[in-house]
Amino acid sequence: MGLQDIFQSDDGIHRLPLNPPGRRDASHPDGLLSSVVEHEKYFSQIAALATELYSLAPLHDPGSGLVRLQRLATLRRMLDAAEAVTLSDSVELVAQVVAENGCADPNTETEQQRRERISANYYGVDPASEQIIRSNFIAEAAVALRESEEKVRAKLFIADGLRHLCTDTLDALAAGEITSKAAKEIVKQAQDLGAADIERMERVLLPMARTASDASVGQRARRMHDRLNPVSAEDRHEAAKESRALTHWNEADGMAALKLRAPAADIISMVNTVRYFARHEVDPEDSRTQAQREADIFRDALLDGWPAGGGTPLKARVALTIPAVEALVDPRRGLAELEGYGPIPVGAALVLAKDAPSMVRVLTDPWSGAAMDVGRKRYRPSRALRDLLRVREVCCCFPGCRRTAESSEVDHVDDWAKGGHTDRNNTKLLCKRHQMFKHALGWQSVYRPDGSVGWRTPHGLVCVELPGSVQVVQGFDHVHDRAPVLEVELTDRVRRVLGWVDPPDRIAG
């Protein structure tokens, strides 16, 4: 995944001229024959090409390998088209089922439906609204596809655009004639346009998309969008200012990246200012590269104040979990946990922790790394439980969610109203959004003896989530509820750290 894919997109289904959910005719074939024709249209070519590839002899020269790569690329495009149709039709069917359930007789309501209705009222949500239906389905599809909700949301946006709007583009993709990237670009540039303008765009772009590069298709699609867009460039810029934001994402080796979305003039001014200071008055003995100096100046300006300034009152706010044994045995190779990021070197964590205003002792499983208990010397049990969950779960326990513990809340696995206890065996962290999913939208969870949480989606998919603090996952047996057992060699150095001056067997003797 490239850096640009990490950035939050401003693509939106509301920017496409689509009918409301439940009234999108392409997802509702007229009769059995039409359904069979639709199925053949999107899946028969996949089966034929997959059979052809399967029957090929082993490679014997580079030329045949390249031809096979072309055929594999064609198969992948066909699969992308079939996935788009399946995604779009599935969410349409969910909307249809919800609408039919909304018309059901309240006297036939099950106890589970009654609890979900009450919870929906509590959270102030309407399970039949388009936004809730879509969000709930995206969460389920993310489990099925084993992808993040953000990625599935982007896929569903493209799928709806292809299925219900850019149908010629979908047909070309299903035939393997254009790339998935070209199809996505056409849908993205269809936003804010009328149906007639979108048809015109397809007529112009599809012939060239069959042979031109993706970059060329994207460039021409953006130009056509700007020419056809009924809103002026100035008005679009003023509206775009509302989307200014500061975001970040994690990268490998203890690094992270920062993205600031703001008016281009402001960004260019910032970049030029930083580059000016990085290029002037450079110490001849400074061995840093230009890029390193620019990054250091930007960092210093925010955290320490602009050069020659009086500094800044801003101080870093971080939460760390530092394994004591790893810090003592080998601090150079040991890893601590930086909340909101993940593992960082113990040495770097100790530097951050030296000025920490407070610390909490945490008991962890020595093999899996999972947090098991926290010290209660200074805290009430409720505060201690919160501290335990924060270091044990690390983030929201909903499948695929990475919202930090700081932005999540304590939630009961077995509902408190039904007798569930408020203890470490019946609590987990859930963000506000996924609390609503669990209590109002039909998601179910169960705590397992090995510390994991089993989830069941509204339509029956099952998955298991481990606590975020678990570092060693080998040996977890969710089927038979067995926790891992790891055999390790206790060297003399480890024995000294554990306080065993002599081996235990010698002590016993």
Side-chain angles (χ1 to χ4, degrees):
M1 180 178 291
L3 295 184
Q4 294 295 331
D5 296 325
I6 301 293
F7 295 167
Q8 289 187 347
S9 172
D10 61 351
D11 296 333
I13 195 68
H14 62 282
R15 296 177 60 192
L16 296 174
L18 296 174
N19 290 327
R23 293 167 53 190
R24 297 170 183 169
D25 295 337
S27 295
H28 304 284
D30 186 15
L32 178 60
L33 179 60
S34 296
S35 299
V36 173
V37 171
E38 282 279 297
H39 183 81
E40 285 291 313
K41 179 179 181 180
Y42 294 112
F43 290 94
S44 61
Q45 297 180 90
I46 294 175
L49 182 51
T51 302
E52 173 194 328
L53 288 167
Y54 177 76
S55 63
L56 292 176
L59 289 176
H60 55 81
D61 63 77
S64 61
L66 292 173
V67 171
R68 191 169 301 184
L69 287 174
Q70 286 183 321
R71 301 299 284 159
L72 287 169
T74 299
L75 178 61
R76 190 172 294 111
R77 296 164 194 162
M78 294 177 176
L79 288 169
D80 286 343
E83 182 183 72
V85 171
T86 303
L87 273 172
S88 187
D89 287 358
S90 295
V91 73
E92 184 72 1
L93 288 172
V94 171
Q96 182 179 349
V97 169
V98 171
E100 291 173 353
N101 289 341
C103 299
D105 185 356
N107 295 324
T108 63
E109 185 179 52
T110 66
E111 178 61 22
Q112 177 67 21
Q113 290 173 331
R114 186 188 72 83
R115 285 200 301 267
E116 290 177 5
R117 175 173 54 80
I118 294 173
S119 294
N121 291 335
Y122 171 78
Y123 284 101
V125 298
D126 177 12
S129 73
E130 179 180 0
Q131 181 181 4
I132 295 300
I133 291 173
R134 197 172 183 85
S135 295
N136 203 22
F137 173 77
I138 286 171
E140 280 199 86
V143 172
L145 294 172
R146 300 182 69 177
E147 295 178 340
S148 68
E149 289 185 36
E150 290 75 15
K151 190 169 184 178
V152 174
R153 183 176 292 106
K155 279 188 173 185
L156 183 57
F157 164 75
I158 298 297
D160 282 339
L162 290 172
R163 183 64 163 147
H164 305 293
L165 203 60
C166 302
T167 54
D168 290 342
T169 303
L170 175 61
D171 291 345
L173 181 63
E177 297 173 349
I178 65 173
T179 67
S180 301
K181 177 69 174 176
K184 292 176 183 177
E185 198 62 47
I186 291 174
V187 172
K188 286 171 67 70
Q189 300 308 323
Q191 294 178 104
D192 306 320
L193 301 183
D197 287 334
I198 293 173
E199 291 179 8
R200 178 182 174 188
M201 177 184 288
E202 285 190 289
R203 287 198 303 269
V204 172
L205 294 177
L206 284 178
M208 65 165 293
R210 291 179 169 88
T211 56
S213 67
D214 292 339
S216 180
V217 174
Q219 182 184 44
R220 285 165 175 76
R222 287 189 290 274
R223 287 177 180 173
M224 285 199 70
H225 175 272
D226 287 343
R227 287 199 305 269
L228 297 172
N229 197 320
V231 182
S232 69
E234 181 179 353
D235 290 342
R236 294 202 306 272
H237 176 64
E238 288 300 316
K241 287 182 179 179
E242 299 299 318
S243 67
R244 59 190 184 276
L246 182 69
T247 56
H248 79 283
W249 63 93
N250 298 331
E251 294 191 342
D253 303 322
M255 302 296 285
L258 189 71
K259 175 211 169 186
L260 172 65
R261 178 175 172 85
D266 293 342
I267 296 294
I268 297 302
S269 296
M270 295 177 193
V271 172
N272 289 344
T273 301
V274 169
R275 286 179 176 172
Y276 173 84
F277 280 93
R279 289 171 180 167
H280 292 76
E281 300 181 4
V282 178
D283 189 332
E285 297 183 0
D286 190 343
S287 61
R288 293 175 298 173
T289 65
Q290 174 74 11
Q292 290 169 344
R293 285 196 297 271
E294 291 173 3
D296 292 345
I297 288 175
F298 187 81
R299 179 265 178 204
D300 294 345
L302 287 177
L303 297 183
D304 299 330
W306 195 252
T312 174
L314 296 177
K315 298 298 181 185
R317 293 172 56 88
V318 296
L320 291 163
T321 302
I322 305 175
V325 172
E326 290 196 28
L328 291 171
V329 173
D330 193 349
R332 292 188 68 256
R333 298 199 59 82
L335 292 174
E337 187 79 12
L338 175 61
E339 185 177 297
Y341 175 82
I344 64 171
V346 163
L350 292 174
V351 172
L352 289 172
K354 66 182 178 64
D355 296 323
S358 63
M359 292 189 180
V360 178
R361 290 181 299 171
V362 180
L363 175 64
T364 62
D365 185 298
W367 310 135
S368 70
M372 300 169 61
D373 205 350
V374 296
R376 289 176 168 79
K377 184 176 179 180
R378 298 176 57 190
Y379 298 120
R380 299 189 305 272
S382 59
R383 176 64 183 273
L385 177 62
R386 170 73 193 190
D387 287 339
L388 170 63
L389 294 177
R390 179 171 178 166
V391 295
R392 185 183 75 183
E393 312 295 355
V394 176
C395 58
C396 171
C397 288
F398 192 85
C401 184
R402 298 300 299 170
R403 289 183 177 87
T404 64
E406 188 67 27
S407 58
S408 302
E409 296 183 357
V410 177
D411 187 82
H412 291 79
V413 178
D414 294 330
D415 291 344
W416 180 83
K418 295 189 294 183
H421 295 289
T422 305
D423 56 31
R424 65 185 184 185
N425 294 324
N426 190 51
T427 51
K428 61 184 180 302
L429 291 183
L430 282 180
C431 64
K432 273 288 189 183
R433 181 169 184 265
H434 291 132
Q435 280 187 341
M436 177 189 71
F437 276 43
K438 175 178 179 286
H439 295 289
L441 299 181
W443 290 72
Q444 300 174 20
S445 62
V446 58
Y447 194 89
R448 306 173 72 88
D450 61 13
S452 62
V453 178
W455 285 92
R456 183 181 179 88
T457 76
H459 291 92
L461 294 181
V462 176
C463 64
V464 176
E465 285 291 307
L466 285 175
S469 60
V470 173
Q471 301 169 15
V472 180
V473 297
Q474 294 92 336
F476 272 93
D477 187 346
H478 302 299
V479 177
H480 300 97
D481 291 330
R482 285 199 293 264
V485 176
L486 182 64
E487 295 183 0
V488 298
E489 179 184 0
L490 292 178
T491 65
D492 290 341
R493 186 176 185 184
V494 173
R495 290 190 181 101
R496 287 196 298 271
V497 170
L498 295 175
W500 295 350
V501 179
D502 296 314
D505 53 352
R506 295 182 190 174
I507 296 175

